[in-house]
């Protein structure tokens, strides 16, 4: 993402990223939740259910960061 993006370009990039994620999830959720999945460089063992919970937690963190960033930007404009 560019540092000088407009709100339209930023939201377009967000929408494209969310669409990519949606397509990936469609493929993943066709497997049983107890499917073993190695993750990361160390190939740590987890299950599909564990991976989905981790992804949800990680997403929640980034949403919080985006909300905080938006509030800081709005406060600087006033």
């Amino acid at each position: 993402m560019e540092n000088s993006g407009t709100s339209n370009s930023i939201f377009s990039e967000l929408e494209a990223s969310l669409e990519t994620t949606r397509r990936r999830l469609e493929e993943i959720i066709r497997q049983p939740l107890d499917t073993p999945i190695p993750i990361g460089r160390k190939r740590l063992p987890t299950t599909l259910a564990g991976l989905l919970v981790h992804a949800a937690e990680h997403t929640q963190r980034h949403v919080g960061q985006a909300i905080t960033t938006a509030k800081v930007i709005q406060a600087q404009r006033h």
Side-chain angles (χ1 to χ4, degrees), residues 39-68:
I39 59 170
R41 288 184 293 268
K42 293 184 178 181
R43 311 287 292 163
L44 299 174
T46 189
T47 61
L48 175 56
L51 178 61
L52 292 174
V53 168
H54 174 73
E57 291 171 340
H58 194 79
T59 299
Q60 183 179 15
R61 177 179 179 173
H62 285 296
V63 168
Q65 290 171 330
I67 291 169
T68 300

PDB file of all heavy atoms in Angstrom, residues 39-68:
ATOM      1  N   ILE A  39       2.240 -25.209  10.404  1.00  0.00           N
ATOM      2  CA  ILE A  39       2.256 -23.779  10.100  1.00  0.00           C
ATOM      3  C   ILE A  39       3.604 -23.153  10.409  1.00  0.00           C
ATOM      4  O   ILE A  39       4.344 -23.627  11.269  1.00  0.00           O
ATOM      5  CB  ILE A  39       1.147 -23.011  10.850  1.00  0.00           C
ATOM      6  CG1 ILE A  39       1.300 -23.166  12.349  1.00  0.00           C
ATOM      7  CG2 ILE A  39      -0.223 -23.448  10.396  1.00  0.00           C
ATOM      8  CD1 ILE A  39       0.408 -22.257  13.156  1.00  0.00           C
ATOM      9  N   GLY A  40       3.910 -22.105   9.684  1.00  0.00           N
ATOM     10  CA  GLY A  40       5.111 -21.325   9.934  1.00  0.00           C
ATOM     11  C   GLY A  40       6.373 -21.993   9.431  1.00  0.00           C
ATOM     12  O   GLY A  40       6.367 -23.109   8.911  1.00  0.00           O
ATOM     13  N   ARG A  41       7.474 -21.258   9.608  1.00  0.00           N
ATOM     14  CA  ARG A  41       8.781 -21.782   9.174  1.00  0.00           C
ATOM     15  C   ARG A  41       9.176 -23.028   9.949  1.00  0.00           C
ATOM     16  O   ARG A  41       9.859 -23.904   9.426  1.00  0.00           O
ATOM     17  CB  ARG A  41       9.843 -20.702   9.345  1.00  0.00           C
ATOM     18  CG  ARG A  41       9.723 -19.576   8.339  1.00  0.00           C
ATOM     19  CD  ARG A  41      10.850 -18.572   8.488  1.00  0.00           C
ATOM     20  NE  ARG A  41      10.766 -17.844   9.744  1.00  0.00           N
ATOM     21  CZ  ARG A  41      10.147 -16.685   9.924  1.00  0.00           C
ATOM     22  NH1 ARG A  41       9.543 -16.117   8.919  1.00  0.00           N
ATOM     23  NH2 ARG A  41      10.132 -16.094  11.093  1.00  0.00           N
ATOM     24  N   LYS A  42       8.748 -23.095  11.200  1.00  0.00           N
ATOM     25  CA  LYS A  42       9.101 -24.258  12.022  1.00  0.00           C
ATOM     26  C   LYS A  42       8.142 -25.426  11.810  1.00  0.00           C
ATOM     27  O   LYS A  42       8.300 -26.475  12.414  1.00  0.00           O
ATOM     28  CB  LYS A  42       9.115 -23.865  13.494  1.00  0.00           C
ATOM     29  CG  LYS A  42      10.224 -22.901  13.835  1.00  0.00           C
ATOM     30  CD  LYS A  42      10.252 -22.624  15.318  1.00  0.00           C
ATOM     31  CE  LYS A  42      11.384 -21.691  15.680  1.00  0.00           C
ATOM     32  NZ  LYS A  42      11.451 -21.433  17.129  1.00  0.00           N
ATOM     33  N   ARG A  43       7.119 -25.211  10.967  1.00  0.00           N
ATOM     34  CA  ARG A  43       6.131 -26.268  10.657  1.00  0.00           C
ATOM     35  C   ARG A  43       5.496 -26.807  11.926  1.00  0.00           C
ATOM     36  O   ARG A  43       5.373 -28.022  12.119  1.00  0.00           O
ATOM     37  CB  ARG A  43       6.772 -27.380   9.847  1.00  0.00           C
ATOM     38  CG  ARG A  43       7.586 -26.923   8.645  1.00  0.00           C
ATOM     39  CD  ARG A  43       6.785 -26.425   7.501  1.00  0.00           C
ATOM     40  NE  ARG A  43       6.028 -27.509   6.872  1.00  0.00           N
ATOM     41  CZ  ARG A  43       5.008 -27.294   6.057  1.00  0.00           C
ATOM     42  NH1 ARG A  43       4.646 -26.081   5.764  1.00  0.00           N
ATOM     43  NH2 ARG A  43       4.352 -28.298   5.540  1.00  0.00           N
ATOM     44  N   LEU A  44       5.085 -25.911  12.818  1.00  0.00           N
ATOM     45  CA  LEU A  44       4.453 -26.322  14.072  1.00  0.00           C
ATOM     46  C   LEU A  44       3.114 -26.984  13.790  1.00  0.00           C
ATOM     47  O   LEU A  44       2.353 -26.533  12.934  1.00  0.00           O
ATOM     48  CB  LEU A  44       4.268 -25.110  14.985  1.00  0.00           C
ATOM     49  CG  LEU A  44       5.551 -24.396  15.408  1.00  0.00           C
ATOM     50  CD1 LEU A  44       5.222 -23.129  16.180  1.00  0.00           C
ATOM     51  CD2 LEU A  44       6.417 -25.318  16.245  1.00  0.00           C
ATOM     52  N   PRO A  45       2.822 -28.049  14.516  1.00  0.00           N
ATOM     53  CA  PRO A  45       1.573 -28.771  14.251  1.00  0.00           C
ATOM     54  C   PRO A  45       0.360 -28.053  14.848  1.00  0.00           C
ATOM     55  O   PRO A  45       0.398 -27.526  15.954  1.00  0.00           O
ATOM     56  CB  PRO A  45       1.795 -30.114  14.949  1.00  0.00           C
ATOM     57  CG  PRO A  45       2.752 -29.811  16.056  1.00  0.00           C
ATOM     58  CD  PRO A  45       3.628 -28.692  15.549  1.00  0.00           C
ATOM     59  N   THR A  46      -0.711 -28.019  14.085  1.00  0.00           N
ATOM     60  CA  THR A  46      -1.996 -27.535  14.568  1.00  0.00           C
ATOM     61  C   THR A  46      -3.066 -28.234  13.745  1.00  0.00           C
ATOM     62  O   THR A  46      -2.766 -29.096  12.920  1.00  0.00           O
ATOM     63  CB  THR A  46      -2.113 -25.999  14.476  1.00  0.00           C
ATOM     64  OG1 THR A  46      -3.298 -25.585  15.163  1.00  0.00           O
ATOM     65  CG2 THR A  46      -2.159 -25.514  13.047  1.00  0.00           C
ATOM     66  N   THR A  47      -4.294 -27.855  13.957  1.00  0.00           N
ATOM     67  CA  THR A  47      -5.400 -28.384  13.165  1.00  0.00           C
ATOM     68  C   THR A  47      -6.031 -27.231  12.391  1.00  0.00           C
ATOM     69  O   THR A  47      -5.752 -26.053  12.648  1.00  0.00           O
ATOM     70  CB  THR A  47      -6.482 -29.014  14.065  1.00  0.00           C
ATOM     71  OG1 THR A  47      -6.997 -27.986  14.926  1.00  0.00           O
ATOM     72  CG2 THR A  47      -5.926 -30.167  14.881  1.00  0.00           C
ATOM     73  N   LEU A  48      -6.894 -27.567  11.477  1.00  0.00           N
ATOM     74  CA  LEU A  48      -7.598 -26.537  10.730  1.00  0.00           C
ATOM     75  C   LEU A  48      -8.377 -25.637  11.689  1.00  0.00           C
ATOM     76  O   LEU A  48      -8.362 -24.413  11.552  1.00  0.00           O
ATOM     77  CB  LEU A  48      -8.543 -27.164   9.706  1.00  0.00           C
ATOM     78  CG  LEU A  48      -9.426 -26.205   8.925  1.00  0.00           C
ATOM     79  CD1 LEU A  48      -8.587 -25.158   8.200  1.00  0.00           C
ATOM     80  CD2 LEU A  48     -10.309 -26.966   7.957  1.00  0.00           C
ATOM     81  N   ALA A  49      -9.014 -26.218  12.695  1.00  0.00           N
ATOM     82  CA  ALA A  49      -9.756 -25.428  13.684  1.00  0.00           C
ATOM     83  C   ALA A  49      -8.819 -24.464  14.408  1.00  0.00           C
ATOM     84  O   ALA A  49      -9.149 -23.281  14.590  1.00  0.00           O
ATOM     85  CB  ALA A  49     -10.468 -26.339  14.681  1.00  0.00           C
ATOM     86  N   GLY A  50      -7.659 -24.935  14.825  1.00  0.00           N
ATOM     87  CA  GLY A  50      -6.690 -24.076  15.501  1.00  0.00           C
ATOM     88  C   GLY A  50      -6.206 -22.951  14.607  1.00  0.00           C
ATOM     89  O   GLY A  50      -6.053 -21.806  15.052  1.00  0.00           O
ATOM     90  N   LEU A  51      -5.984 -23.271  13.337  1.00  0.00           N
ATOM     91  CA  LEU A  51      -5.544 -22.259  12.387  1.00  0.00           C
ATOM     92  C   LEU A  51      -6.619 -21.194  12.190  1.00  0.00           C
ATOM     93  O   LEU A  51      -6.327 -19.995  12.163  1.00  0.00           O
ATOM     94  CB  LEU A  51      -5.198 -22.914  11.049  1.00  0.00           C
ATOM     95  CG  LEU A  51      -4.755 -21.971   9.930  1.00  0.00           C
ATOM     96  CD1 LEU A  51      -3.489 -21.228  10.324  1.00  0.00           C
ATOM     97  CD2 LEU A  51      -4.550 -22.750   8.650  1.00  0.00           C
ATOM     98  N   LEU A  52      -7.882 -21.598  12.079  1.00  0.00           N
ATOM     99  CA  LEU A  52      -8.971 -20.638  11.894  1.00  0.00           C
ATOM    100  C   LEU A  52      -9.137 -19.729  13.111  1.00  0.00           C
ATOM    101  O   LEU A  52      -9.368 -18.529  12.972  1.00  0.00           O
ATOM    102  CB  LEU A  52     -10.276 -21.367  11.571  1.00  0.00           C
ATOM    103  CG  LEU A  52     -10.299 -22.073  10.210  1.00  0.00           C
ATOM    104  CD1 LEU A  52     -11.576 -22.885  10.076  1.00  0.00           C
ATOM    105  CD2 LEU A  52     -10.153 -21.083   9.072  1.00  0.00           C
ATOM    106  N   VAL A  53      -9.001 -20.297  14.319  1.00  0.00           N
ATOM    107  CA  VAL A  53      -9.085 -19.481  15.534  1.00  0.00           C
ATOM    108  C   VAL A  53      -7.939 -18.475  15.564  1.00  0.00           C
ATOM    109  O   VAL A  53      -8.139 -17.287  15.853  1.00  0.00           O
ATOM    110  CB  VAL A  53      -9.086 -20.364  16.802  1.00  0.00           C
ATOM    111  CG1 VAL A  53      -8.871 -19.538  18.054  1.00  0.00           C
ATOM    112  CG2 VAL A  53     -10.391 -21.148  16.893  1.00  0.00           C
ATOM    113  N   HIS A  54      -6.743 -18.934  15.239  1.00  0.00           N
ATOM    114  CA  HIS A  54      -5.587 -18.026  15.215  1.00  0.00           C
ATOM    115  C   HIS A  54      -5.798 -16.912  14.190  1.00  0.00           C
ATOM    116  O   HIS A  54      -5.511 -15.740  14.460  1.00  0.00           O
ATOM    117  CB  HIS A  54      -4.306 -18.797  14.898  1.00  0.00           C
ATOM    118  CG  HIS A  54      -3.125 -17.907  14.721  1.00  0.00           C
ATOM    119  ND1 HIS A  54      -2.506 -17.279  15.779  1.00  0.00           N
ATOM    120  CD2 HIS A  54      -2.474 -17.505  13.596  1.00  0.00           C
ATOM    121  CE1 HIS A  54      -1.514 -16.536  15.324  1.00  0.00           C
ATOM    122  NE2 HIS A  54      -1.465 -16.651  14.007  1.00  0.00           N
ATOM    123  N   ALA A  55      -6.302 -17.260  13.017  1.00  0.00           N
ATOM    124  CA  ALA A  55      -6.541 -16.256  11.975  1.00  0.00           C
ATOM    125  C   ALA A  55      -7.574 -15.234  12.438  1.00  0.00           C
ATOM    126  O   ALA A  55      -7.423 -14.035  12.190  1.00  0.00           O
ATOM    127  CB  ALA A  55      -6.996 -16.935  10.684  1.00  0.00           C
ATOM    128  N   ALA A  56      -8.613 -15.696  13.125  1.00  0.00           N
ATOM    129  CA  ALA A  56      -9.630 -14.773  13.634  1.00  0.00           C
ATOM    130  C   ALA A  56      -9.040 -13.825  14.674  1.00  0.00           C
ATOM    131  O   ALA A  56      -9.312 -12.617  14.658  1.00  0.00           O
ATOM    132  CB  ALA A  56     -10.795 -15.559  14.225  1.00  0.00           C
ATOM    133  N   GLU A  57      -8.224 -14.358  15.573  1.00  0.00           N
ATOM    134  CA  GLU A  57      -7.582 -13.511  16.594  1.00  0.00           C
ATOM    135  C   GLU A  57      -6.649 -12.489  15.940  1.00  0.00           C
ATOM    136  O   GLU A  57      -6.617 -11.326  16.324  1.00  0.00           O
ATOM    137  CB  GLU A  57      -6.798 -14.369  17.581  1.00  0.00           C
ATOM    138  CG  GLU A  57      -7.671 -15.210  18.472  1.00  0.00           C
ATOM    139  CD  GLU A  57      -6.879 -16.216  19.301  1.00  0.00           C
ATOM    140  OE1 GLU A  57      -5.727 -16.538  18.942  1.00  0.00           O
ATOM    141  OE2 GLU A  57      -7.431 -16.694  20.302  1.00  0.00           O
ATOM    142  N   HIS A  58      -5.893 -12.926  14.955  1.00  0.00           N
ATOM    143  CA  HIS A  58      -4.949 -12.051  14.274  1.00  0.00           C
ATOM    144  C   HIS A  58      -5.703 -10.944  13.523  1.00  0.00           C
ATOM    145  O   HIS A  58      -5.308  -9.780  13.545  1.00  0.00           O
ATOM    146  CB  HIS A  58      -4.095 -12.879  13.313  1.00  0.00           C
ATOM    147  CG  HIS A  58      -2.897 -12.171  12.801  1.00  0.00           C
ATOM    148  ND1 HIS A  58      -1.746 -12.030  13.541  1.00  0.00           N
ATOM    149  CD2 HIS A  58      -2.667 -11.537  11.626  1.00  0.00           C
ATOM    150  CE1 HIS A  58      -0.859 -11.356  12.846  1.00  0.00           C
ATOM    151  NE2 HIS A  58      -1.387 -11.038  11.674  1.00  0.00           N
ATOM    152  N   THR A  59      -6.798 -11.324  12.871  1.00  0.00           N
ATOM    153  CA  THR A  59      -7.617 -10.352  12.156  1.00  0.00           C
ATOM    154  C   THR A  59      -8.185  -9.320  13.117  1.00  0.00           C
ATOM    155  O   THR A  59      -8.184  -8.120  12.826  1.00  0.00           O
ATOM    156  CB  THR A  59      -8.752 -11.068  11.408  1.00  0.00           C
ATOM    157  OG1 THR A  59      -8.167 -11.978  10.467  1.00  0.00           O
ATOM    158  CG2 THR A  59      -9.652 -10.087  10.678  1.00  0.00           C
ATOM    159  N   GLN A  60      -8.658  -9.774  14.268  1.00  0.00           N
ATOM    160  CA  GLN A  60      -9.208  -8.866  15.270  1.00  0.00           C
ATOM    161  C   GLN A  60      -8.154  -7.840  15.700  1.00  0.00           C
ATOM    162  O   GLN A  60      -8.452  -6.659  15.857  1.00  0.00           O
ATOM    163  CB  GLN A  60      -9.711  -9.658  16.473  1.00  0.00           C
ATOM    164  CG  GLN A  60     -10.364  -8.802  17.531  1.00  0.00           C
ATOM    165  CD  GLN A  60     -10.869  -9.641  18.697  1.00  0.00           C
ATOM    166  OE1 GLN A  60     -10.511 -10.809  18.859  1.00  0.00           O
ATOM    167  NE2 GLN A  60     -11.708  -9.053  19.519  1.00  0.00           N
ATOM    168  N   ARG A  61      -6.942  -8.283  15.851  1.00  0.00           N
ATOM    169  CA  ARG A  61      -5.861  -7.371  16.238  1.00  0.00           C
ATOM    170  C   ARG A  61      -5.659  -6.293  15.182  1.00  0.00           C
ATOM    171  O   ARG A  61      -5.536  -5.102  15.482  1.00  0.00           O
ATOM    172  CB  ARG A  61      -4.565  -8.155  16.444  1.00  0.00           C
ATOM    173  CG  ARG A  61      -3.399  -7.273  16.776  1.00  0.00           C
ATOM    174  CD  ARG A  61      -2.149  -8.081  16.997  1.00  0.00           C
ATOM    175  NE  ARG A  61      -1.035  -7.184  17.284  1.00  0.00           N
ATOM    176  CZ  ARG A  61       0.143  -7.579  17.655  1.00  0.00           C
ATOM    177  NH1 ARG A  61       0.391  -8.858  17.819  1.00  0.00           N
ATOM    178  NH2 ARG A  61       1.098  -6.718  17.877  1.00  0.00           N
ATOM    179  N   HIS A  62      -5.618  -6.700  13.907  1.00  0.00           N
ATOM    180  CA  HIS A  62      -5.409  -5.730  12.832  1.00  0.00           C
ATOM    181  C   HIS A  62      -6.599  -4.787  12.672  1.00  0.00           C
ATOM    182  O   HIS A  62      -6.422  -3.617  12.340  1.00  0.00           O
ATOM    183  CB  HIS A  62      -5.071  -6.423  11.526  1.00  0.00           C
ATOM    184  CG  HIS A  62      -3.671  -6.950  11.497  1.00  0.00           C
ATOM    185  ND1 HIS A  62      -2.572  -6.134  11.568  1.00  0.00           N
ATOM    186  CD2 HIS A  62      -3.192  -8.215  11.432  1.00  0.00           C
ATOM    187  CE1 HIS A  62      -1.476  -6.863  11.539  1.00  0.00           C
ATOM    188  NE2 HIS A  62      -1.821  -8.131  11.456  1.00  0.00           N
ATOM    189  N   VAL A  63      -7.793  -5.272  12.892  1.00  0.00           N
ATOM    190  CA  VAL A  63      -8.968  -4.392  12.840  1.00  0.00           C
ATOM    191  C   VAL A  63      -8.848  -3.331  13.934  1.00  0.00           C
ATOM    192  O   VAL A  63      -9.116  -2.147  13.697  1.00  0.00           O
ATOM    193  CB  VAL A  63     -10.281  -5.195  12.969  1.00  0.00           C
ATOM    194  CG1 VAL A  63     -11.467  -4.279  13.206  1.00  0.00           C
ATOM    195  CG2 VAL A  63     -10.501  -6.041  11.721  1.00  0.00           C
ATOM    196  N   GLY A  64      -8.436  -3.731  15.113  1.00  0.00           N
ATOM    197  CA  GLY A  64      -8.221  -2.777  16.198  1.00  0.00           C
ATOM    198  C   GLY A  64      -7.171  -1.739  15.840  1.00  0.00           C
ATOM    199  O   GLY A  64      -7.331  -0.546  16.120  1.00  0.00           O
ATOM    200  N   GLN A  65      -6.098  -2.186  15.186  1.00  0.00           N
ATOM    201  CA  GLN A  65      -5.063  -1.248  14.747  1.00  0.00           C
ATOM    202  C   GLN A  65      -5.618  -0.269  13.718  1.00  0.00           C
ATOM    203  O   GLN A  65      -5.302   0.931  13.761  1.00  0.00           O
ATOM    204  CB  GLN A  65      -3.878  -2.012  14.151  1.00  0.00           C
ATOM    205  CG  GLN A  65      -3.078  -2.788  15.172  1.00  0.00           C
ATOM    206  CD  GLN A  65      -2.044  -3.693  14.517  1.00  0.00           C
ATOM    207  OE1 GLN A  65      -2.228  -4.179  13.402  1.00  0.00           O
ATOM    208  NE2 GLN A  65      -0.946  -3.931  15.220  1.00  0.00           N
ATOM    209  N   ALA A  66      -6.442  -0.745  12.804  1.00  0.00           N
ATOM    210  CA  ALA A  66      -7.013   0.129  11.777  1.00  0.00           C
ATOM    211  C   ALA A  66      -7.950   1.160  12.404  1.00  0.00           C
ATOM    212  O   ALA A  66      -7.935   2.335  12.026  1.00  0.00           O
ATOM    213  CB  ALA A  66      -7.760  -0.706  10.729  1.00  0.00           C
ATOM    214  N   ILE A  67      -8.745   0.736  13.376  1.00  0.00           N
ATOM    215  CA  ILE A  67      -9.650   1.655  14.054  1.00  0.00           C
ATOM    216  C   ILE A  67      -8.866   2.721  14.802  1.00  0.00           C
ATOM    217  O   ILE A  67      -9.177   3.917  14.725  1.00  0.00           O
ATOM    218  CB  ILE A  67     -10.592   0.887  15.004  1.00  0.00           C
ATOM    219  CG1 ILE A  67     -11.582   0.049  14.189  1.00  0.00           C
ATOM    220  CG2 ILE A  67     -11.331   1.842  15.951  1.00  0.00           C
ATOM    221  CD1 ILE A  67     -12.371  -0.950  15.017  1.00  0.00           C
ATOM    222  N   THR A  68      -7.835   2.302  15.510  1.00  0.00           N
ATOM    223  CA  THR A  68      -7.002   3.261  16.245  1.00  0.00           C
ATOM    224  C   THR A  68      -6.336   4.243  15.291  1.00  0.00           C
ATOM    225  O   THR A  68      -6.318   5.460  15.538  1.00  0.00           O
ATOM    226  CB  THR A  68      -5.936   2.522  17.071  1.00  0.00           C
ATOM    227  OG1 THR A  68      -6.600   1.663  17.999  1.00  0.00           O
ATOM    228  CG2 THR A  68      -5.040   3.486  17.822  1.00  0.00           C
TER     229      THR A  68
END
